[in-house]
Amino acid sequence: MSYNIEQIKAIAPSVFTTEKAPHLTDKYIQTPTIKVVEDLMNLGWEVTKVQEVKSRKYKGFQKHLIMFRNPSITIKGANGDDAQPQILLTNSHDGKAAFNFRVGIFRFVCSNGLVISDADFGVMSIRHMNYTFESLQAKVAEMIGKLPKLVQKINLFKSKELTEAQMTEFATKASELRTKKTVNIMDVLTPTRTEDQGNDLWLVFNRVQEKILGGSYTSGGRKARSVKNFQQDIKLNEQLFELAESYL
């Protein structure tokens, strides 16, 4: 599903804020997020997710997330496990954030958005005062230029077979990133679809990530809840990717 301008406005009005927050001085240069959204749309990227954090003090200026996918760019995988790169744009109009861009991966088989965090795919930023269409084009080109390295990284994950002990250790460490309560590790490791059956690092990482973020496990004797806060979602995704890399 892709969102149009009116749908974005209904979900996250802060994306359209044109005024700076009252506490900011005249030195603060305001660039509305919708300007970046429209520019990315013009470059062929579609909005697939929209969120804003709840805020009373800075209502209308709070942090928000816009997620994009380009239907013309696909990473082909074995047995139909295709994926598309994603751009995650976060911003706020309270003076606390620049336009931050992260790279993500969307797997068609499970509607799973994976945020990539390593030396090759760090957070890319554009300050409000420095924003131009050309600067955005340059950032997007930089991210697209790194896709071959991303495919190489995924292939390394796929070539790494984990032992039963390593799988249990990985799932345990992954669950500890979210909770200190006792977690049913078999809930975390058991695949929900045939495409994710297997012991290679890529498959284990994907099903553990899906369970940890989706809350599909029991913790402290109760079913866990899914992660709703996009800031926590991004943080956990990045931590899980870094944890998976440690097994290479």
Side-chain angles (χ1 to χ4, degrees):
M1 175 183 177
S2 60
Y3 293 83
N4 61 34
I5 297 297
E6 289 304 314
Q7 290 171 320
I8 297 170
K9 193 170 188 177
I11 298 170
S14 58
V15 172
F16 294 78
T17 298
T18 57
E19 303 294 328
K20 62 179 180 291
H23 68 282
L24 297 173
T25 68
D26 292 338
K27 293 181 179 179
Y28 180 79
I29 305 298
Q30 169 77 342
T31 300
T33 304
I34 188 58
K35 168 64 176 169
V36 185
V37 172
E38 290 175 336
D39 285 347
L40 277 166
M41 286 179 167
N42 288 332
L43 290 172
W45 294 82
E46 298 177 351
V47 175
T48 57
K49 187 174 183 178
V50 185
Q51 282 183 272
E52 67 177 12
V53 301
K54 294 181 179 180
S55 176
R56 292 183 179 180
K57 185 176 181 180
Y58 294 117
K59 187 173 178 60
F61 306 97
Q62 68 263 48
K63 197 167 188 178
H64 42 268
L65 164 75
I66 311 289
M67 194 176 292
F68 303 83
R69 290 206 310 271
N70 191 322
S72 67
I73 305 174
T74 300
I75 299 172
K76 304 298 286 185
N79 302 318
D81 189 9
D82 296 343
Q84 283 185 330
Q86 299 185 120
I87 293 177
L88 287 73
L89 166 64
T90 55
N91 184 42
S92 69
H93 295 301
D94 57 6
K96 296 181 179 179
F99 294 114
N100 287 329
F101 302 87
R102 290 175 172 85
V103 174
I105 289 294
F106 175 84
R107 293 178 70 218
F108 291 102
V109 296
C110 63
S111 301
N112 209 10
L114 310 178
V115 180
I116 308 302
S117 176
D118 64 11
D120 294 324
F121 296 90
V123 179
M124 303 179 190
S125 299
I126 302 177
R127 295 178 63 190
H128 285 220
M129 65 183 298
N130 294 331
Y131 180 78
T132 63
F133 182 69
E134 289 72 26
S135 64
L136 176 67
Q137 280 183 306
K139 290 296 180 186
V140 172
E142 186 179 350
M143 286 185 279
I144 297 304
K146 291 179 177 179
L147 284 181
K149 289 185 178 180
L150 176 54
V151 174
Q152 184 180 25
K153 180 77 70 174
I154 291 173
N155 288 336
L156 284 175
F157 277 30
K158 290 180 177 180
S159 67
K160 175 66 176 180
E161 289 289 325
L162 300 183
T163 65
E164 292 293 331
Q166 286 176 317
M167 291 167 59
T168 299
E169 180 189 61
F170 179 81
T172 300
K173 289 182 177 180
S175 66
E176 289 173 351
L177 293 172
R178 183 168 178 196
T179 180
K180 299 304 179 185
K181 295 180 180 179
T182 301
V183 170
N184 186 327
I185 297 303
M186 287 308 298
D187 283 351
V188 178
L189 281 175
T190 303
T192 56
R193 62 186 65 82
T194 56
E195 293 89 345
D196 283 341
Q197 292 178 352
N199 292 6
D200 73 60
L201 180 57
W202 177 244
L203 293 174
V204 174
F205 164 59
N206 273 276
R207 61 183 187 251
V208 168
Q209 187 266 4
E210 185 177 12
K211 297 290 185 70
I212 295 298
L213 273 295
S216 302
Y217 61 91
T218 54
S219 174
R222 297 183 179 182
K223 188 179 184 302
R225 296 181 179 181
S226 62
V227 175
K228 300 296 185 184
N229 183 295
F230 72 80
Q231 296 179 98
Q232 183 186 9
D233 189 304
I234 290 173
K235 182 179 179 180
L236 279 170
N237 264 301
E238 291 178 338
Q239 290 175 327
L240 287 169
F241 192 84
E242 290 173 356
L243 174 62
E245 282 190 303
S246 71
Y247 283 80
L248 291 176

